[in-house]
């Protein structure tokens, strides 16, 4: 259970510095602290960002499922946040993370950006480390 | 003048693999090829992504100005694209770039993610390399 946070807490004016979209979200980039690789891009609502800061573990908002999720809650592939950064316009967040298990993508790959453009085609250039059926078998 | 591209060209089905937002945009992360630092997050429309691939220089869509822009068109801080990647869901793009001039941010800093959360405050942790008034003085 994440630490309880109150997004409207006046003691958290740093959340007001974020320019939330009309949907109340901000894009969040996760970068691996060790390798420097960009792992994924996901979205956060205000509460997810507050919980991320409060717990030190990445929380996101799933647009497809319409709910907040703690990264790794099913897979165990938690992201421990080492740095939390905001961009110049306040409309994008960067998380430098320790990626538990070395896998951030639901396909079982290290990261979500595993396709590269080569001669007008997206080519898969990174291997599956662990079968997703094994990762999510306890669900 | 960028190479002419036709976004509806049937020879570019790779553009159809991108899941464009309702506004016809996709978030694009630029990462420095040399340092591995995440420089910025911007947005691309279909034509900007096509031009980026065709010219090897990053083109974005400015939501505030409502127009496409070639990164560096005013500042000279062009981004030469070394890798173009797509994520698992097809709704985010990663550019690994050579950042000409070593400055990607309009504030004159190396990158836009220069504020870091420390004890509930965003602290500026990276210096201005060049005064923006000098960078944009020829406008």
């Amino acid at each position: 259970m994440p630490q309880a946070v109150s997004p409207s807490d006046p003691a958290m004016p740093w959340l007001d510095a974020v320019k939330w979209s009309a949907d109340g979200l901000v894009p969040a980039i996760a970068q691996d602290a060790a390798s420097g690789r960009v792992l994924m891009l996901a979205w956060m609502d205000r509460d997810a960002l507050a919980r991320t800061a409060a717990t030190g573990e990445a929380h996101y908002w799933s647009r497809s499922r319409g709910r907040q999720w703690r990264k790794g809650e099913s897979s165990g592939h938690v992201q421990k946040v080492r740095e939390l950064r905001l961009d110049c316009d306040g409309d994008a967040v960067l998380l430098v993370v320790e990626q538990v298990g070395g896998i951030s993508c639901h396909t079982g790959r290290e990261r979500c950006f595993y396709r590269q453009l080569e001669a007008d085609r997206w080519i898969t250039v990174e291997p599956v480390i662990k079968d997703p059926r094994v990762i999510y078998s306890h669900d």
Side-chain angles (χ1 to χ4, degrees), chain A:
Chain A
M1 185 70 180
Q3 179 181 332
V5 289
S6 167
S8 57
D9 188 332
M12 293 200 284
W14 64 275
L15 286 169
D16 296 326
V18 178
K19 284 196 194 126
W20 305 95
S21 71
D23 296 335
L25 302 177
V26 70
I29 304 159
Q31 179 180 31
D32 190 277
S35 70
R37 288 194 191 98
V38 175
L39 300 174
M40 52 185 275
L41 183 145
W43 295 80
M44 290 180 167
D45 65 341
R46 188 179 168 101
D47 189 70
L49 181 53
R51 282 187 202 276
T52 297
T55 65
E57 294 187 348
H59 289 66
Y60 299 105
W61 177 264
S62 169
R63 296 180 302 171
S64 59
R65 288 175 287 170
R67 71 168 182 90
Q68 192 182 119
W69 108 94
R70 183 175 63 88
K71 174 70 183 165
E73 65 185 16
S74 295
S75 63
H77 297 148
V78 170
Q79 293 179 337
K80 298 183 178 174
V81 179
R82 298 290 173 244
E83 273 183 28
L84 192 49
R85 288 180 175 239
L86 184 65
D87 78 348
C88 51
D89 296 326
D91 59 5
V93 168
L94 172 65
L95 286 73
V96 180
V97 303
E98 179 192 334
Q99 177 60 65
V100 173
I103 294 174
S104 72
C105 186
H106 75 288
T107 64
R109 293 182 176 85
E110 180 196 9
R111 57 180 182 154
C112 300
F113 293 99
Y114 58 79
R115 292 186 282 179
Q116 187 169 330
L117 191 66
E118 293 177 12
D120 289 351
R121 289 181 62 190
W122 297 110
I123 306 293
T124 295
V125 294
E126 299 191 9
V128 172
I129 296 171
K130 193 170 179 180
D131 189 327
R133 287 170 297 188
V134 176
I135 296 174
Y136 299 100
S137 61
H138 56 283
D139 281 354

